[in-house]
Amino acid sequence: MRHKAKAHQQNLKSAKNKQYNSNNKKINPKTSSVGANQKDIIEIDFHGLFVRDAIELLENTINRALMDEIGQINIVHGFGTGKIKEAVHQYLSESKYISAFRLSITNPGVTIIYL
């Protein structure tokens, strides 16, 4: 139990302190399959996060994307229990900063957000 709480604290610190890591990165639009008309795309991976940590990371990422004028965020939430996907979609449906969001056609474990 103590180990799990420590791991949770490390996940939370990691989510707060790192904008991009090896799984969460800014993608060059030329290498993205979305197309070159987008400025940039941010992709973040929520695997291994608790719902509350994922939502906090999502809020921070949306704020950063708005400040950097990035038009799209790809959220990799996977399939699993669906709790993170459900929480992400609920948050996005209530946010005034989101133009639209949808599941990826090629990978339903990814939600695409348009700012």
Side-chain angles (χ1 to χ4, degrees):
M1 187 70 160
R2 178 182 254 185
H3 178 64
K4 191 171 188 175
K6 196 171 204 175
H8 170 67
Q9 288 175 339
Q10 289 172 342
N11 277 345
L12 184 57
K13 282 182 183 177
S14 177
K16 286 181 180 178
N17 295 333
K18 294 182 182 179
Q19 178 65 32
Y20 309 107
N21 64 27
S22 61
N23 290 333
N24 303 324
K25 58 191 172 275
K26 202 171 181 179
I27 301 173
N28 182 331
K30 292 179 182 171
T31 62
S32 169
S33 61
V34 175
N37 59 347
Q38 290 288 104
K39 283 187 177 183
D40 284 316
I41 299 169
I42 297 174
E43 182 174 278
I44 53 177
D45 188 346
F46 286 171
H47 285 102
L49 293 179
F50 292 100
V51 171
R52 66 179 172 265
D53 299 336
I55 295 303
E56 186 174 339
L57 180 57
L58 177 60
E59 289 173 339
N60 293 337
T61 303
I62 290 170
N63 289 336
R64 185 71 184 174
L66 290 169
M67 289 188 306
D68 291 346
E69 297 181 354
I70 294 173
Q72 182 177 325
I73 302 170
N74 293 346
I75 305 293
V76 180
H77 45 66
F79 298 103
T81 63
K83 289 180 182 180
I84 289 181
K85 179 181 89 169
E86 183 180 316
V88 165
H89 287 199
Q90 180 67 34
Y91 178 85
L92 296 173
S93 66
E94 295 171 0
S95 175
K96 62 182 179 180
Y97 301 107
I98 306 304
S99 298
F101 67 93
R102 64 175 175 82
L103 288 177
S104 169
I105 296 169
T106 57
N107 183 356
V110 175
T111 295
I112 301 171
I113 304 168
Y114 302 98
L115 303 174

